Amino acid sequence: LMRSVLPYAILVQLAISPLIDPPGVLTFVWTQDAIFWVGLSGISAFLVNYSGFLVMGNIGALAHVLLGQLKTAMVMIGAFFIFGSTYGSNQLLGAAGAVLFIILY
């Protein structure tokens, strides 16, 4: 799947990014720090997507989506308890419900 999708995704990203990414790739001031952080962000994004493809190949698409939802809910709950992030009661109830129903699934 990744071999089929990745080349097209790269071409689309290269074509669209200069047009819709303010201030734009062409007008951005490219310092060594900026190149480092943009490169590190790109490598990290690739590794996240690659691991997602590996997981999806082994467990199926539905379980991959459920794991993604579980990860999002756990990050929200962890940020609430560890960092004291403020969320609305609906957001916390939704995250807790997502974790509960994923476990039940």
Side-chain angles (χ1 to χ4, degrees):
L1 179 64
M2 188 167 85
R3 290 186 189 118
S4 299
V5 173
L6 190 61
Y8 297 113
I10 290 171
L11 290 175
V12 169
Q13 188 71 21
L14 286 173
I16 293 176
S17 290
L19 302 173
I20 63 170
D21 186 25
V25 174
L26 302 176
T27 59
F28 186 75
V29 179
W30 290 98
T31 63
Q32 284 186 335
D33 282 346
I35 292 170
F36 171 77
W37 289 111
V38 169
L40 184 62
S41 175
I43 291 168
S44 298
F46 171 78
L47 292 174
V48 166
N49 289 327
Y50 183 67
S51 67
F53 280 114
L54 291 176
V55 168
M56 195 180 319
N58 289 322
I59 64 173
L62 179 60
H64 180 261
V65 170
L66 291 174
L67 285 173
Q69 293 298 321
L70 178 65
K71 179 182 71 172
T72 302
M74 295 307 292
V75 165
M76 284 179 61
I77 293 169
F80 176 76
F81 287 112
I82 295 170
F83 301 114
S85 297
T86 57
Y87 298 107
S89 58
N90 286 341
Q91 291 171 312
L92 289 176
L93 184 62
V99 171
L100 174 69
F101 288 112
I102 288 169
I103 292 169
L104 292 175
Y105 174 77

